[in-house]
Amino acid sequence: MKYIEHPTGSQVVQTAFSIIALLSVDYPNSEPIAQGIRLIMSRQQANGEWLQEGIEGIFNKSCAISYPNYKFIFTTLALGKFAKKYPNFK
């Protein structure tokens, strides 16, 4: 398997997945987590939502599946977990 970065770079859903994982295992370095939080916050729209970015899932290596609510569920979960662990983050 070969890693291929998305043409637009990091995406909020995959960033949120990573943040949730790092927070769940008490990753000792908070800077990469804070960097991901900044990315999620920078992409949030004025009305509170996030725009749909790339397709979130591939099934059987051939079928792209969009999960439109992932951009709300996992970004909010990542932000909430981060706020709980680092309440003084600015």
Side-chain angles (χ1 to χ4, degrees), residues 35-47:
Q35 186 176 4
I37 291 295
R38 286 187 207 99
L39 180 131
I40 290 173
M41 291 171 66
S42 74
R43 302 250 179 104
Q44 190 172 21
Q45 303 298 297
N47 66 359

Side-chain angles (χ1 to χ4, degrees), residues 4-51:
I4 299 172
E5 186 171 342
H6 193 273
T8 62
S10 297
Q11 298 181 59
V12 294
V13 173
Q14 285 75 12
T15 300
F17 289 160
S18 299
I19 290 169
I20 293 165
L22 292 171
L23 290 171
S24 296
V25 298
D26 290 325
Y27 187 71
N29 184 356
S30 64
E31 185 48 39
I33 300 169
Q35 186 176 4
I37 291 295
R38 286 187 207 99
L39 180 131
I40 290 173
M41 291 171 66
S42 74
R43 302 250 179 104
Q44 190 172 21
Q45 303 298 297
N47 66 359
E49 71 177 11
W50 288 268
L51 299 177

Side-chain angles (χ1 to χ4, degrees), residues 23 30 33-34 37 41 78-90:
L23 290 171
S30 64
I33 300 169
I37 291 295
M41 291 171 66
L79 290 169
K81 283 182 169 288
F82 183 81
K84 186 174 181 180
K85 184 163 179 115
Y86 300 101
N88 297 321
F89 176 75
K90 303 247 185 230

